[in-house]
Protein backbone atom coordinates (compact mmCIF):
# COMPACT_ATOMS: atom_id res chain seq x y z
CA UNK A 1 0.00 0.00 0.00
CA UNK A 2 1.32 3.45 -0.88
CA UNK A 3 1.40 6.24 1.68
CA UNK A 4 0.24 9.07 -0.57
CA UNK A 5 -1.88 12.11 0.02
CA UNK A 6 -5.24 11.86 -1.68
CA UNK A 7 -7.15 14.69 -3.26
CA UNK A 8 -10.59 13.56 -4.30
CA UNK A 9 -10.76 16.19 -7.03
CA UNK A 10 -7.99 14.36 -8.87
CA UNK A 11 -9.90 11.12 -9.10
CA UNK A 12 -13.52 12.17 -9.64
CA UNK A 13 -15.18 11.38 -12.95
CA UNK A 14 -15.79 14.40 -15.15
CA UNK A 15 -19.43 15.45 -14.69
CA UNK A 16 -21.56 17.49 -17.10
CA UNK A 17 -21.61 21.10 -15.89
CA UNK A 18 -23.22 24.35 -16.92
CA UNK A 19 -21.65 27.58 -15.65
CA UNK A 20 -19.98 25.71 -12.83
CA UNK A 21 -23.15 23.91 -11.74
CA UNK A 22 -23.88 20.25 -12.26
CA UNK A 23 -26.56 19.59 -14.83
CA UNK A 24 -29.47 17.40 -13.75
CA UNK A 25 -29.20 13.91 -15.18
CA UNK A 26 -31.47 12.85 -18.01
CA UNK A 27 -34.54 10.69 -17.34
CA UNK A 28 -33.90 7.00 -16.95
CA UNK A 29 -35.50 6.31 -20.32
CA UNK A 30 -32.91 8.18 -22.34
CA UNK A 31 -32.85 8.92 -26.04
CA UNK A 32 -31.19 6.61 -28.52
CA UNK A 33 -28.60 9.28 -29.35
CA UNK A 34 -27.15 9.28 -25.80
CA UNK A 35 -23.57 8.10 -25.40
CA UNK A 36 -22.69 4.86 -23.58
CA UNK A 37 -20.21 6.83 -21.46
CA UNK A 38 -23.05 8.97 -20.14
CA UNK A 39 -24.97 5.81 -19.33
CA UNK A 40 -21.98 4.74 -17.22
CA UNK A 41 -22.14 8.12 -15.48
CA UNK A 42 -25.79 7.44 -14.62
CA UNK A 43 -24.82 4.03 -13.21
CA UNK A 44 -22.24 5.72 -10.97
CA UNK A 45 -24.81 8.24 -9.84
CA UNK A 46 -27.23 5.50 -8.85
CA UNK A 47 -24.50 3.80 -6.82
CA UNK A 48 -23.87 7.09 -4.99
CA UNK A 49 -27.57 7.28 -4.16
CA UNK A 50 -27.56 3.76 -2.74
CA UNK A 51 -29.31 3.61 0.66
CA UNK A 52 -27.10 2.33 3.46
CA UNK A 53 -29.62 -0.42 4.18
CA UNK A 54 -30.20 -1.32 0.52
CA UNK A 55 -31.70 -4.79 0.32
CA UNK A 56 -32.30 -7.33 -2.42
CA UNK A 57 -35.20 -5.33 -3.88
CA UNK A 58 -33.04 -2.25 -4.45
CA UNK A 59 -30.22 -4.23 -6.07
CA UNK A 60 -32.65 -6.11 -8.33
CA UNK A 61 -34.09 -2.77 -9.43
CA UNK A 62 -30.60 -1.39 -10.04
CA UNK A 63 -29.62 -4.32 -12.26
CA UNK A 64 -32.93 -4.20 -14.15
CA UNK A 65 -32.37 -0.51 -14.89
CA UNK A 66 -28.88 -0.88 -16.32
CA UNK A 67 -28.59 -4.50 -17.56
CA UNK A 68 -30.57 -6.48 -20.11
CA UNK A 69 -32.34 -9.69 -19.15
CA UNK A 70 -29.70 -11.85 -20.85
CA UNK A 71 -26.73 -9.71 -19.78
CA UNK A 72 -23.38 -11.26 -18.91
CA UNK A 73 -20.48 -9.96 -16.80
CA UNK A 74 -16.95 -11.22 -17.44
CA UNK A 75 -14.10 -10.52 -15.06
CA UNK A 76 -10.47 -11.44 -15.67
CA UNK A 77 -7.96 -11.12 -12.85
CA UNK A 78 -5.04 -12.92 -11.29
CA UNK A 79 -5.78 -14.57 -7.94
CA UNK A 80 -2.65 -15.83 -6.18
CA UNK A 81 -0.70 -15.30 -9.43
CA UNK A 82 -3.11 -17.60 -11.29
CA UNK A 83 -5.18 -16.02 -14.11
CA UNK A 84 -8.88 -16.47 -13.46
CA UNK A 85 -11.81 -15.83 -15.77
CA UNK A 86 -15.19 -15.40 -14.07
CA UNK A 87 -18.47 -15.28 -16.00
CA UNK A 88 -21.69 -14.21 -14.32
CA UNK A 89 -25.14 -14.32 -15.86
CA UNK A 90 -27.96 -11.87 -15.18
CA UNK A 91 -29.29 -13.77 -12.16
CA UNK A 92 -25.99 -13.43 -10.29
CA UNK A 93 -25.37 -9.72 -10.96
CA UNK A 94 -27.34 -8.15 -8.06
CA UNK A 95 -25.35 -10.03 -5.44
CA UNK A 96 -22.06 -9.28 -7.23
CA UNK A 97 -22.52 -5.50 -7.16
CA UNK A 98 -23.79 -5.72 -3.61
CA UNK A 99 -20.65 -7.62 -2.60
CA UNK A 100 -18.49 -4.71 -3.82
CA UNK A 101 -19.76 -2.70 -0.84
CA UNK A 102 -19.20 -5.42 1.75
CA UNK A 103 -16.26 -5.31 4.14
CA UNK A 104 -16.19 -1.57 4.88
CA UNK A 105 -16.48 -0.14 1.34
CA UNK A 106 -18.46 3.11 1.30
CA UNK A 107 -18.25 4.07 -2.38
CA UNK A 108 -17.66 2.37 -5.76
CA UNK A 109 -17.23 4.28 -9.02
CA UNK A 110 -16.24 3.28 -12.55
CA UNK A 111 -14.31 5.73 -14.74
CA UNK A 112 -13.06 5.62 -18.34
CA UNK A 113 -10.48 7.74 -20.13
CA UNK A 114 -9.97 8.07 -23.90
CA UNK A 115 -12.64 5.49 -24.67
CA UNK A 116 -13.75 4.51 -28.17
CA UNK A 117 -17.40 4.06 -29.15
CA UNK A 118 -18.91 2.22 -32.09
CA UNK A 119 -22.21 0.79 -33.27
CA UNK A 120 -22.37 -2.54 -35.09
CA UNK A 121 -25.47 -4.64 -35.85
CA UNK A 122 -27.68 -2.91 -33.33
CA UNK A 123 -25.09 -3.01 -30.54
CA UNK A 124 -23.44 0.05 -29.00
CA UNK A 125 -19.89 -0.74 -27.93
CA UNK A 126 -17.62 1.18 -25.57
CA UNK A 127 -13.99 0.08 -25.32
CA UNK A 128 -11.45 1.65 -22.98
CA UNK A 129 -7.88 0.57 -22.25
CA UNK A 130 -7.62 3.02 -19.33
CA UNK A 131 -10.61 2.15 -17.17
CA UNK A 132 -10.65 2.18 -13.38
CA UNK A 133 -12.83 0.94 -10.57
CA UNK A 134 -12.32 3.32 -7.63
CA UNK A 135 -13.39 2.06 -4.21
CA UNK A 136 -13.31 3.98 -0.93
CA UNK A 137 -12.66 1.87 2.16
CA UNK A 138 -13.36 2.78 5.77
CA UNK A 139 -12.30 -0.58 7.20
CA UNK A 140 -9.85 -1.90 8.28
CA UNK A 141 -8.34 1.54 7.60
CA UNK A 142 -9.23 4.62 5.60
CA UNK A 143 -8.00 4.04 2.05
CA UNK A 144 -8.83 4.41 -1.61
CA UNK A 145 -8.18 1.61 -4.10
CA UNK A 146 -7.70 2.15 -7.85
CA UNK A 147 -8.26 -1.03 -9.86
CA UNK A 148 -7.09 -0.45 -13.41
CA UNK A 149 -7.62 -2.43 -16.59
CA UNK A 150 -9.46 -2.71 -19.88
CA UNK A 151 -13.23 -2.30 -19.92
CA UNK A 152 -15.55 -3.34 -22.75
CA UNK A 153 -19.25 -2.51 -22.53
CA UNK A 154 -21.88 -3.52 -25.06
CA UNK A 155 -25.33 -1.92 -24.95
CA UNK A 156 -28.60 -2.76 -26.61
CA UNK A 157 -29.46 -0.07 -29.18
CA UNK A 158 -32.94 0.86 -27.97
CA UNK A 159 -34.61 3.50 -25.81
CA UNK A 160 -33.33 1.95 -22.57
CA UNK A 161 -29.62 1.67 -23.53
CA UNK A 162 -28.99 -1.21 -21.14
CA UNK A 163 -25.78 -3.19 -20.81
CA UNK A 164 -25.60 -6.48 -22.69
CA UNK A 165 -21.97 -7.33 -21.88
CA UNK A 166 -19.63 -6.06 -19.15
CA UNK A 167 -16.04 -7.28 -19.65
CA UNK A 168 -13.36 -5.99 -17.26
CA UNK A 169 -9.77 -7.28 -17.55
CA UNK A 170 -7.80 -6.21 -14.48
CA UNK A 171 -4.24 -5.09 -15.16
CA UNK A 172 -3.24 -4.02 -11.66
CA UNK A 173 -4.29 -1.97 -8.66
CA UNK A 174 -3.02 0.70 -6.28
CA UNK A 175 -3.99 1.22 -2.66
CA UNK A 176 -3.55 4.65 -1.08
CA UNK A 177 -4.12 6.12 2.36
CA UNK A 178 -3.94 9.81 3.38
CA UNK A 179 -0.66 11.07 4.85
CA UNK A 180 -2.61 12.71 7.65
CA UNK A 181 -3.91 9.29 8.68
CA UNK A 182 -0.38 7.87 8.70
CA UNK A 183 0.85 10.82 10.80
CA UNK A 184 -1.55 9.85 13.57
CA UNK A 185 0.27 6.51 13.98
CA UNK A 186 3.85 7.50 13.14
CA UNK A 187 5.06 6.50 16.63
CA UNK A 188 3.24 3.17 16.67
CA UNK A 189 5.32 0.70 14.66
CA UNK A 190 2.75 -2.11 14.85
CA UNK A 191 0.03 0.22 13.60
CA UNK A 192 2.23 1.32 10.68
CA UNK A 193 2.88 -2.31 9.76
CA UNK A 194 -0.85 -2.99 9.81
CA UNK A 195 -1.47 0.03 7.55
CA UNK A 196 1.14 -1.18 5.07
CA UNK A 197 -0.79 -4.39 4.41
CA UNK A 198 -3.08 -4.49 1.40
CA UNK A 199 -6.82 -4.46 2.07
CA UNK A 200 -7.70 -6.05 -1.29
CA UNK A 201 -6.48 -8.68 -3.72
CA UNK A 202 -6.30 -7.35 -7.28
CA UNK A 203 -8.57 -4.52 -6.11
CA UNK A 204 -11.38 -6.75 -4.78
CA UNK A 205 -12.25 -7.51 -1.17
CA UNK A 206 -12.42 -11.01 0.29
CA UNK A 207 -16.23 -10.78 0.23
CA UNK A 208 -16.31 -10.27 -3.54
CA UNK A 209 -13.65 -12.92 -4.23
CA UNK A 210 -15.53 -15.49 -2.15
CA UNK A 211 -18.71 -14.70 -4.07
CA UNK A 212 -16.90 -15.03 -7.41
CA UNK A 213 -15.60 -18.45 -6.38
CA UNK A 214 -19.14 -19.43 -5.39
CA UNK A 215 -20.39 -18.25 -8.80
CA UNK A 216 -18.14 -20.85 -10.43
CA UNK A 217 -20.52 -23.38 -8.90
CA UNK A 218 -23.73 -21.36 -9.35
CA UNK A 219 -23.17 -20.32 -12.96
CA UNK A 220 -23.88 -23.78 -14.50
CA UNK A 221 -27.14 -23.79 -12.49
CA UNK A 222 -28.26 -20.42 -13.83
CA UNK A 223 -30.31 -22.00 -16.61
CA UNK A 224 -32.30 -23.93 -14.03
CA UNK A 225 -32.78 -20.81 -11.91
CA UNK A 226 -33.96 -18.80 -14.92
CA UNK A 227 -36.56 -21.42 -15.87
CA UNK A 228 -37.74 -21.69 -12.27
CA UNK A 229 -38.13 -17.91 -11.98
CA UNK A 230 -39.76 -17.38 -15.38
CA UNK A 231 -42.21 -20.31 -15.39
CA UNK A 232 -42.53 -21.26 -11.69
CA UNK A 233 -41.51 -24.82 -12.55
CA UNK A 234 -40.26 -27.04 -9.68
CA UNK A 235 -36.45 -27.49 -9.66
CA UNK A 236 -36.72 -31.21 -10.42
CA UNK A 237 -38.87 -30.51 -13.48
CA UNK A 238 -36.42 -27.79 -14.62
CA UNK A 239 -33.59 -30.29 -14.42
CA UNK A 240 -35.53 -32.90 -16.43
CA UNK A 241 -36.42 -30.32 -19.09
CA UNK A 242 -32.83 -29.09 -19.40
CA UNK A 243 -31.40 -32.59 -19.67
CA UNK A 244 -34.00 -33.50 -22.29
CA UNK A 245 -33.15 -30.37 -24.33
CA UNK A 246 -29.44 -31.15 -24.27
CA UNK A 247 -30.08 -34.77 -25.24
CA UNK A 248 -32.17 -33.54 -28.18
CA UNK A 249 -29.41 -31.19 -29.30
CA UNK A 250 -26.80 -33.94 -29.30
CA UNK A 251 -28.85 -36.73 -30.87
CA UNK A 252 -31.56 -35.08 -32.97
CA UNK A 253 -30.55 -31.60 -34.15
CA UNK A 254 -33.68 -29.58 -34.77
CA UNK A 255 -34.56 -26.11 -35.93
CA UNK A 256 -35.35 -23.49 -33.26
CA UNK A 257 -39.05 -23.63 -34.17
CA UNK A 258 -39.17 -27.40 -33.60
CA UNK A 259 -37.38 -27.09 -30.27
CA UNK A 260 -39.80 -24.36 -29.16
CA UNK A 261 -42.75 -26.69 -29.81
CA UNK A 262 -41.25 -29.39 -27.58
CA UNK A 263 -41.64 -27.39 -24.38
CA UNK A 264 -42.70 -23.79 -23.57
CA UNK A 265 -39.50 -23.26 -21.58
CA UNK A 266 -37.52 -23.72 -24.78
CA UNK A 267 -38.76 -20.36 -26.06
CA UNK A 268 -36.07 -18.61 -24.02
CA UNK A 269 -33.33 -21.12 -24.79
CA UNK A 270 -31.40 -18.68 -26.96
CA UNK A 271 -31.35 -16.05 -24.20
CA UNK A 272 -30.01 -18.18 -21.38
CA UNK A 273 -26.38 -17.88 -20.37
CA UNK A 274 -24.76 -21.29 -19.89
Amino acid sequence: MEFEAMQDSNYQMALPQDNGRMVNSAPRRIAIGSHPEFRLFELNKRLRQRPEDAGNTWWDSFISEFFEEDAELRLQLGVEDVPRDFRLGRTLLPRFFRSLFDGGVSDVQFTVSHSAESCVNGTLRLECDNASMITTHTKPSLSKVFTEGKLILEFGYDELIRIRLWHFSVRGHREMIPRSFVALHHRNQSALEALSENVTLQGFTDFTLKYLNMCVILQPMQELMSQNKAYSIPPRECLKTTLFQKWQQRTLPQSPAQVAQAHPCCQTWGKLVI
Side-chain angles (χ1 to χ4, degrees):
M1 179 178 295
E2 303 177 38
F3 295 157
E4 297 187 13
M6 295 188 302
Q7 297 182 1
D8 290 344
S9 60
N10 293 335
Y11 306 115
Q12 289 180 351
M13 182 179 179
L15 306 179
Q17 295 186 353
D18 182 14
N19 295 330
R21 297 178 301 175
M22 187 184 303
V23 177
N24 292 333
S25 62
R28 292 181 184 175
R29 285 180 174 266
I30 59 180
I32 291 180
S34 297
H35 294 288
E37 189 169 340
F38 185 77
R39 192 61 171 145
L40 184 63
F41 160 72
E42 286 194 320
L43 183 145
N44 286 328
K45 183 178 179 181
R46 285 283 282 152
L47 290 177
R48 291 193 191 99
Q49 298 172 343
R50 171 189 60 92
E52 292 186 2
D53 57 346
N56 295 334
T57 302
W58 190 92
W59 287 107
D60 287 339
S61 175
F62 168 77
I63 296 300
S64 296
E65 180 179 352
F66 292 99
F67 289 84
E68 292 188 344
E69 293 303 319
D70 56 350
E72 181 182 16
L73 184 144
R74 301 177 187 174
L75 184 62
Q76 294 179 327
L77 65 157
V79 180
E80 298 179 353
D81 297 328
V82 178
R84 297 289 302 275
D85 188 357
F86 299 96
R87 297 194 176 198
L88 282 66
R90 167 64 176 79
T91 308
L92 304 176
L93 294 185
R95 187 66 186 89
F96 169 75
F97 279 90
R98 184 175 183 176
S99 73
L100 296 177
F101 289 87
D102 291 339
V105 178
S106 61
D107 185 56
V108 177
Q109 297 292 295
F110 300 92
T111 65
V112 293
S113 177
H114 306 294
S115 61
E117 299 178 5
S118 60
C119 180
V120 180
N121 297 329
T123 298
L124 292 172
R125 181 183 176 92
L126 182 148
E127 186 170 345
C128 180
D129 292 327
N130 301 302
S132 298
M133 180 183 72
I134 306 174
T135 55
T136 303
H137 298 248
T138 57
K139 298 177 182 178
S141 61
L142 180 62
S143 59
K144 183 169 285 191
V145 180
F146 296 81
T147 307
E148 301 164 341
K150 180 177 181 178
L151 179 65
I152 298 176
L153 299 179
E154 292 184 359
F155 298 79
Y157 194 38
D158 54 23
E159 62 176 357
L160 296 178
I161 313 292
R162 293 191 299 175
I163 299 172
R164 184 173 297 165
L165 172 65
W166 180 299
H167 189 181
F168 188 34
S169 301
V170 176
R171 202 166 40 239
H173 79 292
R174 295 174 293 139
E175 300 186 5
M176 301 183 182
I177 60 177
R179 292 184 184 277
S180 58
F181 191 75
V182 177
L184 297 175
H185 306 279
H186 71 282
R187 295 184 178 180
N188 189 333
Q189 187 62 31
S190 61
L192 289 177
E193 292 179 358
L195 290 175
S196 65
E197 297 180 358
N198 288 343
V199 298
T200 68
L201 181 62
Q202 287 287 299
F204 294 90
T205 63
D206 289 339
F207 291 89
T208 300
L209 292 175
K210 288 179 180 178
Y211 179 70
L212 289 174
N213 288 325
M214 185 173 63
C215 287
V216 175
I217 301 174
L218 293 177
Q219 181 60 28
M221 301 173 58
Q222 184 180 351
E223 183 178 342
L224 303 180
M225 293 187 290
S226 298
Q227 289 188 5
N228 177 262
K229 183 177 181 179
Y231 301 101
S232 299
I233 301 176
R236 187 182 295 274
E237 185 64 26
C238 290
L239 179 60
K240 291 180 179 179
T241 301
T242 301
L243 292 176
F244 178 71
Q245 291 171 353
K246 292 186 177 297
W247 176 82
Q248 277 189 322
Q249 286 184 334
R250 292 184 179 182
T251 58
L252 300 173
Q254 301 180 28
S255 65
Q258 290 175 318
V259 175
Q261 287 183 338
H263 197 283
C265 296
C266 300
Q267 297 175 1
T268 60
W269 175 256
K271 297 183 179 180
L272 296 175
V273 180
I274 301 177

